[in-house]
Amino acid sequence: AQSVTQPDIHITVSEGASLELRCNYSYGATPYLFWYVQSPGQGLQLLLKYFSGDTLVQGIKGFEAEFKRSQSSFNLRKPSVHWSDAAEYFCAVGVSVGNEKLTFGTGTRLTIIP
Amino acid sequence: NAGVTQTPKFRILKIGQSMTLQCTQDMNHNYMYWYRQDPGMGLKLIYYSVGAGITDKGEVPNGYNVSRSTTEDFPLRLELAAPSQTSVYFCASSYSGTNEKLFFGSGTQLSVL
């Protein structure tokens, strides 16, 4: 079975600074990888996903993520964060059989300071 | 376009009470899901449905029931509420079932006291 780890429970960055959120997965084959964002009081929204092809994936709101097979990682990055990026971020890993097998990480809470 | 709508947003139950969490989507999605989110944990799948009349258990189905009589609606039933069911519940839907984007509702915060 697949698994996903988000090592950082909480990250604080200054507005305008760069951001990298870590995600490591365990799966025997090439996984389907996702990043979702959950703003306070809201449901999750898909930021980006990787299935195959180019390992650098662009998403919404200026986010990108890079799939590194050798490191079993799918880290999320943003060059300059905005106060509105404060939220909880979830990495998820899926397998070929379907959404019901999607495994979510425990999340990283992002705080932005002025 | 409303997307996925969940009601209520908040609810407090006493132990042993029953309730139904409502979920409706207007995107004509065949696939619908119920997740629970506990503090410091990822989302856990409770039940899912691949179409009207078809439901199946997820990772944590005990204490819950679902039905899917229409494409739009996927209610989640708690029969005998227990403190362990205190959680935030999310309904989601997708057009297809294979690693497609999930559309989430805004959640129901449930406390069982």
Side-chain angles (χ1 to χ4, degrees):
Chain A
Q2 72 274 21
S3 66
V4 59
T5 302
Q6 293 181 249
D8 303 306
I9 296 173
H10 184 205
I11 285 181
T12 300
V13 299
S14 299
E15 190 168 13
S18 63
L19 171 71
E20 183 168 24
L21 301 181
R22 295 184 292 166
C23 173
N24 295 100
Y25 70 89
S26 175
Y27 183 58
T30 300
Y32 298 79
L33 295 162
F34 306 80
W35 274 101
Y36 281 86
V37 60
Q38 183 182 24
S39 299
Q42 301 297 316
L44 280 70
Q45 180 185 19
L46 181 68
L47 283 176
L48 48 78
K49 62 184 180 183
Y50 171 79
F51 287 174
S52 64
D54 193 346
T55 57
L56 185 62
V57 181
Q58 301 297 321
I60 62 172
K61 305 185 181 188
F63 285 91
E64 66 178 26
E66 186 171 11
F67 170 60
K68 292 186 177 180
R69 184 189 302 275
S70 62
Q71 298 177 20
S72 297
S73 69
F74 189 57
N75 294 348
L76 182 71
R77 301 194 295 248
K78 187 170 185 177
S80 176
V81 297
H82 185 262
W83 64 266
S84 60
D85 294 323
E88 186 126 22
Y89 292 79
F90 292 92
C91 182
V93 58
V95 299
S96 60
V97 293
N99 287 338
E100 71 274 13
K101 297 299 184 185
L102 194 63
T103 300
F104 286 86
T106 52
T108 297
R109 184 160 60 94
L110 176 64
T111 298
I112 308 295
I113 56 176
Chain B
N1 201 352
V4 179
T5 303
Q6 288 183 239
T7 56
K9 291 190 180 300
F10 303 95
R11 184 72 184 269
I12 298 175
L13 286 180
K14 294 182 179 179
I15 294 172
Q17 286 186 320
S18 301
M19 77 163 295
T20 299
L21 281 64
Q22 301 291 345
C23 176
T24 299
Q25 53 91 10
D26 63 358
M27 296 172 284
N28 202 32
H29 286 169
N30 284 323
Y31 295 79
M32 296 188 74
Y33 310 85
W34 273 106
Y35 290 92
R36 60 178 288 171
Q37 182 184 33
D38 299 310
M41 306 290 288
L43 277 71
K44 301 294 184 184
L45 183 65
I46 305 171
Y47 270 96
Y48 67 100
S49 170
V50 302
I54 306 171
T55 62
D56 207 346
K57 295 177 180 179
E59 184 180 357
V60 290
N62 291 343
Y64 307 95
N65 280 300
V66 294
S67 60
R68 184 94 182 270
S69 57
T70 67
T71 299
E72 295 77 21
D73 300 308
F74 190 41
L76 178 71
R77 179 82 177 162
L78 283 71
E79 290 294 348
L80 292 170
S84 61
Q85 294 177 305
T86 294
S87 188
V88 180
Y89 292 84
F90 287 100
C91 180
S93 71
S94 65
Y95 176 71
S96 78
T98 306
N99 295 296
E100 279 291 323
K101 173 183 178 179
L102 293 174
F103 293 80
F104 283 84
S106 57
T108 296
Q109 187 166 338
L110 175 67
S111 296
V112 182
L113 305 175

